[in-house]
Amino acid sequence: MLYQPFCVKEMWDTWMYYRNGIHHLFTLHRADSSNWDGISLATSTDGVCFQDRGIVLSKPAEAAWLGSGAVWPYENGYVMNYSLEIEGTQRICFAVSP
């Protein structure tokens, strides 16, 4: 598998979530700043050829960086945990999506 998000300069940690025949590939990325500043998503039905879905989460301006996480089903959608450093403290955060 070769994959490079089109909207970012560099990517780091990656994790996958598979459900209903679709591989969801999440990548921590550096788009505009010198620190890790977002998470991108790509999807695939065969686990080899991925279609870039773009940025799904960007760090808030007050955070120094954004860290990678994991995804799992929750009620009628999904939840993703990730971390932020704000004022020298690492915070564990959650995002929910349908």
Side-chain angles (χ1 to χ4, degrees), residues 12-15 27-28 39 65-70 80-83:
W12 190 245
D13 291 341
T14 61
W15 64 99
T27 63
L28 183 61
I39 296 172
W65 50 261
L66 186 147
S68 57
M80 176 174 57
N81 75 297
Y82 61 97
S83 59

Side-chain angles (χ1 to χ4, degrees), residues 70-87:
V71 174
W72 63 94
Y74 176 74
E75 294 181 0
N76 294 325
Y78 304 91
V79 65
M80 176 174 57
N81 75 297
Y82 61 97
S83 59
L84 296 173
E85 181 190 318
I86 299 176
E87 297 178 356

Side-chain angles (χ1 to χ4, degrees), residues 23-56:
H23 302 267
H24 299 80
L25 172 63
F26 296 88
T27 63
L28 183 61
H29 70 243
R30 184 186 333 252
D32 296 318
S33 72
S34 60
N35 290 322
W36 302 107
D37 57 12
I39 296 172
S40 297
L41 170 65
T43 58
S44 171
T45 55
D46 63 8
V48 177
C49 298
F50 282 82
Q51 181 177 0
D52 197 328
R53 301 295 182 177
I55 297 170
V56 296

